[in-house]
Structures are given as C-alpha cells and as structure tokens.
Amino acid sequence: MRRAVLIAAALLTSCGAPTPGEEAMAELSVSMRAEADMVRRGVDLPLIFDGRCTDDCSGHRAGYLWALDHPGVDTIDCDPARQGRSFAEGCAKGVVSASLQ
C-alpha cells in the first residue's frame, strides 16, 4: 500500500507545474533562440561573441551557423586546428545554443 501511495505521489508531482530548474531551462532556451536569430541576421555580433570578433565577426558567425545547421555535432567538431580560431569559437557557442533549442 505504501508503495502505491509513493508512486501516486510521484506521478502527481511529475504532472504538476514545472520545477524551478525546468523554468530556468525554458527561459535559457528562449534566450538562445533569440541569440541564434540575431546571429542569423548579423545583429550585435561583437556583443554576442564577447568582443572577440575582429572586423565583421564573419568567422564566428560562420562557425555558429554551421553548428546550428548540423544537429548532433559536439564541441570536438569545432577544432581550431582545422577550422581556425574564430570559426571554432563561434562553432562552440553554436553547439551550446543548438543543445538548448
């Protein structure tokens, strides 16, 4: 009987309102989708890439968009030795963004 009560309580808890952690992840996901949209449009790129860009941020932007366009890639695929530093930095940020969307 006690086991049935525990299972029922667990089911009721899981069907209720989102936990604070789930709410935070949902907010972060919305934020990352907005960031991805800004990168696609080329808006505020130096701000998004923490001022690491030189010139027009094209390398960072290319890496970020590549990561978004290739679901399932990991940061190991963003190797700076193969792609260049700015592409790799943008790619790594894109991998994080893609994982939260």
Side-chain angles (χ1 to χ4, degrees):
M1 178 67 154
R2 180 182 168 154
R3 182 179 165 131
V5 171
L6 291 174
I7 291 172
L11 288 172
L12 287 174
T13 303
S14 67
C15 294
T19 66
E22 290 170 335
E23 287 177 357
M25 286 302 292
E27 288 177 21
L28 186 56
S29 179
V30 168
S31 172
M32 295 304 275
R33 279 196 299 270
E35 178 181 275
D37 183 55
M38 291 173 72
V39 172
R40 284 187 182 100
R41 292 184 291 128
V43 178
D44 291 333
L45 294 179
L47 179 66
I48 290 171
F49 296 114
D50 303 323
R52 294 182 181 173
C53 299
T54 56
D55 300 325
D56 62 356
C57 298
S58 60
H60 284 83
R61 183 173 188 256
Y64 188 99
L65 295 175
W66 181 85
L68 291 182
D69 291 341
H70 293 85
V73 298
D74 199 327
T75 53
I76 199 160
D77 299 312
C78 304
D79 182 10
R82 290 187 329 206
Q83 306 293 342
R85 182 190 57 78
S86 62
F87 184 95
E89 288 174 358
C91 177
K93 192 165 182 107
V95 166
V96 171
S97 180
S99 71
L100 295 172
Q101 293 186 20

